[in-house]
Amino acid sequence: MAAPELRTQRLLLRGWRAADRQPFAALNADPRVMEHFPGLIPRQQSDEFVDRIELGFAEHGFGLWAVEVPGECDFIGFVGLSVPRFQAHFTPCVEVGWRLAAEAWGQGYASEAARESLRFGFEDADLAEIVSFTSPLNTRSVAVMRRLGMHHDPAEDFDHPALAPDSRLARHVLYRLGREEWRRCS
Ligand SMILES: CC(C)(COP(=O)(O)OP(=O)(O)OC[C@H]1O[C@@H](n2cnc3c(N)ncnc32)[C@H](O)[C@@H]1OP(=O)(O)O)[C@@H](O)C(=O)NCCC(=O)NCCS
């Protein structure tokens, strides 16, 4: 299935185009964007990530949408829904996530696109719950989760299984949002 196109007041969330791959590789190689990841991502891995995103849309009907600011910028990064492949106390689950070029931060774009992703997840994909997680050092990402009305129980914090236990990034906070809760707040 092709990626459904979604619109918000300022943004277009759309399927990926070949032309997105170069700017995506550039943000994956930007130390500001990748500060809370284990390392920078080289071009080939960046392209393989896009391949997996496209397969994810075909499999689930949702995914990490390419985000465009119509008339201003063809591609600022991704925001959307994904199914984590690792096992943890809260999996299987659907996660809402975001990664934008640093030039696009500080304008509310991640939260705006994530709100529409949640709407799609709860209304169109009929999900009962959506989670999000990150290192608590990633304060910008945690702030997005809070803006979305997601909630955090410290008892659910976990060590990310894909990271070395002694990594500064291993500890993660988990935020959750249920469909009924989302309906009440939106
Ligand atoms: C996480 C990330 C997406 C957050 O981006 P962001 O721009 O800070 O988040 P938002 O879109 O919610 O924007 C909020 C900011 O825009 C400001 N803003 C400006 N105009 C706005 C508007 N019209 N509407 C809403 N907010 C607006 C807000 O005041 C807020 O500013 P602040 O950062 O000074 O508090 C971004 O930092 C990123 O891509 N990081 C790298 C990748 C990453 O770590 N991803 C998460 C992995 S778990």
Side-chain angles (χ1 to χ4, degrees):
M1 184 200 283
E5 253 186 29
L6 308 176
R7 281 179 193 276
T8 69
Q9 199 179 349
R10 298 179 294 172
L11 305 172
L12 171 63
L13 281 62
R14 56 163 176 78
W16 289 68
R17 297 179 188 143
D20 300 331
R21 289 181 177 236
Q22 191 284 325
F24 187 52
L27 72 85
N28 282 327
D30 182 339
R32 294 170 296 176
V33 176
M34 302 310 284
E35 181 184 355
H36 302 293
F37 292 82
L40 305 182
I41 298 179
R43 175 71 196 245
Q44 189 183 337
Q45 278 180 36
S46 178
D47 284 349
E48 287 166 1
F49 187 15
V50 178
D51 294 341
R52 285 198 302 278
I53 291 173
E54 291 186 319
L55 287 173
F57 274 109
E59 186 178 352
H60 304 295
F62 57 73
L64 298 171
W65 282 273
V67 181
E68 176 174 336
V69 189
E72 282 185 34
C73 190
D74 289 344
F75 176 83
I76 60 168
F78 71 66
V79 175
L81 304 171
S82 64
V83 179
R85 291 180 297 171
F86 62 86
Q87 288 190 352
H89 70 83
F90 53 90
T91 61
C93 65
V94 175
E95 177 198 11
V96 60
W98 33 73
R99 188 180 305 172
L100 299 185
E103 294 72 23
W105 298 0
Q107 301 177 71
Y109 288 152
S111 294
E112 184 171 321
R115 275 192 196 95
E116 176 59 13
S117 303
L118 292 177
R119 187 210 60 72
F120 184 91
F122 289 128
E123 284 189 347
D124 297 355
D126 201 27
L127 301 173
E129 183 184 62
I130 297 174
V131 305
S132 197
F133 46 83
T134 190
S135 159
L137 300 175
N138 195 344
T139 52
R140 278 187 172 273
S141 194
V142 170
V144 177
M145 295 172 198
R146 292 194 176 138
R147 268 180 218 115
L148 296 173
M150 305 186 85
H151 55 84
H152 167 234
D153 176 353
E156 292 204 291
D157 290 359
F158 67 104
D159 291 330
H160 197 299
L163 296 166
D166 60 349
S167 159
R168 70 184 175 90
L169 299 172
R171 201 69 185 150
H172 272 52
V173 288
L174 176 75
Y175 278 72
R176 293 183 188 262
L177 187 64
R179 184 171 48 213
E180 296 313 318
E181 208 177 353
W182 170 79
R183 277 204 182 115
R184 281 196 300 275
C185 307
S186 60

